[in-house]
Amino acid sequence: MRGLELVLGILLGVGHVLAWPGMRRDVHTSPKMIGPTCTVGAHSGPWPDAGPCPTMVQPAPPAGSQPPTKTHLWPDAFMVDWEFSFVPDNTDAPPYNPLPTSPYNITKGRTFYHALDDEAGLRNMRETYDSFCIPVFGDPSSPMGARNDYSCDFINDATTKTSFVVTHADRPAGVPECCIIGRPFHPPPRNFTVNMPVRWSAPVPVGEQKVIVDWNAVWDKDAGIFNYGFDAVSSEPFAFYMKGVPWIAQWMWQRFHNFTATVPPASTWVLPDSCSTAVACPGW
């Protein structure tokens, strides 16, 4: 994740805020640190070597939009299903109704979240990608960065404050069963949107109707936009989008469904034994 002190995500999701734009391993003064130096308070830092955060002057909200209707909070715990589209055509930009108009790959998945002690930063979060892993690894020569046609899970562990990527039997050669993308690292706080510098409300077509969405965005000078939207009426997550690595996906669009404020089962957070000796992900 590159630039910015915020959520999501990356990943959002999340990455439902579990993934950050231009996600990459930054060079830290301490070898114990792995991951982005600036996430606008969502995942990590601020680090002493982070520099300006955000990395650029933020643009104004889109012309014709309105201020957000309210400040939205995640509940203490939730589960939500989604579809994540990966779009190579840079001119085919989100939001979509319901899907991109150009060729794309898509995966189903789900997010699990539980804030054990939100103020202390003790939160568990998991994103499960069924068929395509989110392409946020910024080195096209690495086994994890060259392609994304494999399943994966991003698991943020509250106990170790570490973010793991777990892969499965369909992983390409050279991709480990478990590796680290963030340490120390935590899932976004429930109120992560308060640190998003650009916010606006606008109607988004959904079928023949329109839904008012409150958007919360931040721009990075290299990675572009990171934007998370809530349904203005229900306060349920609506969609998230960001730029991806250009050789796989110029745009990434995550549309949420079946949101329930339910505590995930304890088995959600179980890590494979290989995570006990995990190191930074290849190319990270």
Side-chain angles (χ1 to χ4, degrees):
M1 286 174 162
R2 177 157 175 123
L4 322 185
E5 257 251 335
L6 148 65
V7 138
L8 275 264
I10 120 284
L11 346 212
L12 187 245
V14 284
H16 207 126
V17 210
L18 278 182
W20 198 254
M23 200 167 185
R24 65 172 176 80
R25 182 180 184 178
D26 286 330
V27 178
H28 295 282
T29 55
S30 170
K32 294 181 179 180
M33 297 179 182
I34 297 175
T37 56
C38 175
T39 62
V40 194
H43 293 300
S44 58
W47 306 121
D49 54 355
C53 180
T55 61
M56 59 175 281
V57 175
Q58 299 295 289
S65 63
Q66 299 296 318
T69 59
K70 67 183 82 169
T71 297
H72 301 276
L73 300 176
W74 280 345
D76 289 333
F78 67 84
M79 297 185 289
V80 63
D81 297 328
W82 38 260
E83 292 86 39
F84 219 137
S85 301
F86 307 118
V87 186
D89 186 350
N90 193 46
T91 65
D92 190 9
Y96 305 118
N97 179 29
L99 294 168
T101 58
S102 62
Y104 61 92
N105 289 322
I106 190 169
T107 183
K108 292 183 181 295
R110 59 216 53 86
T111 295
F112 309 86
Y113 179 88
H114 190 191
L116 305 171
D117 185 337
D118 199 36
E119 291 189 4
L122 296 177
R123 311 177 198 101
N124 287 321
M125 191 170 186
R126 177 176 185 147
E127 279 205 321
T128 294
Y129 296 79
D130 290 346
S131 52
F132 288 90
C133 195
I134 184 169
V136 291
F137 301 95
D139 182 358
S141 66
S142 74
M144 296 189 78
R147 52 195 284 192
N148 75 320
D149 55 341
Y150 55 94
S151 59
C152 68
D153 293 88
F154 283 58
I155 305 176
N156 283 195
D157 178 51
T159 304
T160 62
K161 293 190 175 180
T162 300
S163 182
F164 298 93
V165 179
V166 176
T167 62
H168 308 285
D170 61 345
R171 59 183 172 270
V175 174
E177 180 182 350
C178 182
C179 58
I180 297 172
I181 60 164
R183 184 182 64 203
F185 199 82
H186 57 74
R190 297 175 56 221
N191 67 343
F192 71 88
T193 62
V194 301
N195 287 330
M196 303 297 270
V198 186
R199 288 174 279 179
W200 70 91
S201 185
V204 175
V206 177
E208 300 300 320
Q209 301 179 334
K210 290 186 176 181
V211 174
I212 302 299
V213 177
D214 288 341
W215 293 106
N216 307 269
V218 62
W219 273 260
D220 177 77
K221 65 181 178 65
D222 297 315
I225 189 174
F226 175 99
N227 198 5
Y228 194 98
F230 287 89
D231 184 304
V233 176
S234 68
S235 283
E236 293 184 1
F238 177 80
F240 156 72
Y241 66 89
M242 61 183 275
K243 297 289 287 185
V245 293
W247 55 93
I248 295 177
Q250 290 279 1
W251 289 105
M252 303 192 291
W253 166 258
Q254 187 179 33
R255 182 71 167 89
F256 303 114
H257 306 281
N258 303 325
F259 180 86
T260 58
T262 304
V263 176
S267 60
T268 303
W269 321 118
V270 175
L271 293 162
D273 292 342
S274 55
C275 289
S276 64
T277 56
V279 297
C281 294
W284 199 241

